[in-house]
């Protein structure tokens, strides 16, 4: 039986719109003819655990198991505001990034899970003129290892605070002045996360939240 987690005022204000859902990065160049995960790993998703007295929310983070992405439910601590990062979307993205970067539990490792998201990757505040919902990163998204980018996009796409709906595109930018780009998560990319395209579509400043530029 799961115990209810305490959720304080900060968590309530930031995360009221968040829901746990799967994510369905859409790419036309990704092969879809793939087989099941190798039988040598179980990929059994462990039950989420939390620390008593810690404010947090439940979310699904995408880890790698059997060369595929598999969603694992985690208890995510509510992120603390830091200088220059007060945007609710960026704060939630930072919390999910930290969950992807943290060392895996012994149970997750035994089940065959790994993560390719590099340490010290951070979410940053959007720039003036960015489409609503844009998440800026401390590195260019297209410079990340493909598997790490797939993990990140699929994790963010499963969060309504960031993607405006399960499976909707997410808009990511780097630390420079280059315009952000949209990225989508599909079952094809979940099956072959190393095949994520190196470039997404440029997001226009007038685009609505989660919309893909045409």
């Amino acid at each position: 039986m799961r115990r209810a987690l305490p959720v304080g005022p900060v968590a309530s204000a930031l995360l009221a719109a968040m829901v746990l859902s799967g994510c369905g990065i859409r790419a036309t160049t990704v092969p879809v003819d793939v087989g099941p995960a190798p039988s040598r790993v179980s990929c059994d998703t462990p039950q989420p655990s939390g620390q008593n007295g810690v404010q947090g929310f439940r979310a699904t983070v995408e880890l790698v198991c059997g060369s595929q992405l598999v969603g694992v439910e985690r208890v995510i601590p509510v992120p603390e505001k830091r200088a220059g990062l007060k945007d609710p979307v960026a704060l939630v993205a930072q919390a999910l990034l930290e969950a992807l970067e943290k060392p895996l539990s012994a149970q997750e490792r035994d089940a065959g899970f790994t993560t390719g998201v590099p340490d010290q990757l951070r979410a940053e505040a959007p720039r003036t003129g960015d489409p609503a919902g844009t998440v800026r990163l401390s590195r260019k998204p297209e410079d990340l290892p493909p598997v790490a980018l797939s993990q990140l996009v699929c994790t963010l796409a499963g969060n309504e605070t960031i993607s405006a709906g399960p499976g909707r595109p997410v808009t990511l930018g780097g630390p420079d002045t280059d315009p952000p780009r949209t990225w989508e998560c599909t079952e094809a990319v979940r099956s072959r996360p190393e095949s994520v395209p190196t470039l997404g579509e440029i997001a226009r400043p007038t685009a609505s939240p989660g919309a893909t530029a045409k």
Side-chain angles (χ1 to χ4, degrees), residues 120-213:
Q120 306 304 317
L121 183 64
R122 302 183 309 277
E124 300 182 349
R127 295 179 178 273
T128 301
D130 283 348
T134 296
V135 176
R136 288 276 179 175
L137 302 173
S138 56
R139 290 177 59 179
K140 288 185 177 182
E142 54 267 34
D143 288 346
L144 294 173
V147 172
L149 180 58
S150 296
Q151 285 185 256
L152 176 60
V153 172
C154 284
T155 296
L156 299 181
N159 187 286
E160 283 194 348
T161 299
I162 297 171
S163 69
R168 295 288 300 277
V170 294
T171 304
L172 303 177
D176 50 24
T177 58
D178 289 347
R181 297 177 180 272
T182 58
W183 308 83
E184 290 183 292
C185 178
T186 65
E187 288 303 318
V189 174
R190 290 174 59 85
S191 298
R192 293 289 297 274
E194 75 282 0
S195 299
V196 63
T198 56
L199 293 176
E201 295 179 318
I202 293 177
R204 298 174 182 174
T206 55
S208 58
T212 302

Side-chain angles (χ1 to χ4, degrees), residues 48-173:
S49 59
Q51 299 176 356
N52 292 334
V54 174
Q55 294 181 349
F57 59 92
R58 295 184 186 274
T60 296
V61 297
E62 298 292 336
L63 302 179
V64 181
C65 192
S67 300
Q68 303 180 18
L69 295 188
V70 178
V72 175
E73 189 178 354
R74 287 264 186 88
V75 175
I76 312 296
V78 175
E80 296 182 0
K81 292 183 179 180
R82 69 170 192 256
L85 189 64
K86 299 179 181 180
D87 178 70
V89 171
L91 285 169
V92 172
Q94 177 63 30
L96 293 172
L97 265 175
E98 292 173 2
L100 288 168
E101 296 169 352
K102 69 180 297 186
L104 304 183
S105 67
Q107 186 179 5
E108 289 168 340
R109 293 195 304 270
D110 290 345
F113 289 96
T114 62
T115 181
V117 178
D119 293 337
Q120 306 304 317
L121 183 64
R122 302 183 309 277
E124 300 182 349
R127 295 179 178 273
T128 301
D130 283 348
T134 296
V135 176
R136 288 276 179 175
L137 302 173
S138 56
R139 290 177 59 179
K140 288 185 177 182
E142 54 267 34
D143 288 346
L144 294 173
V147 172
L149 180 58
S150 296
Q151 285 185 256
L152 176 60
V153 172
C154 284
T155 296
L156 299 181
N159 187 286
E160 283 194 348
T161 299
I162 297 171
S163 69
R168 295 288 300 277
V170 294
T171 304
L172 303 177

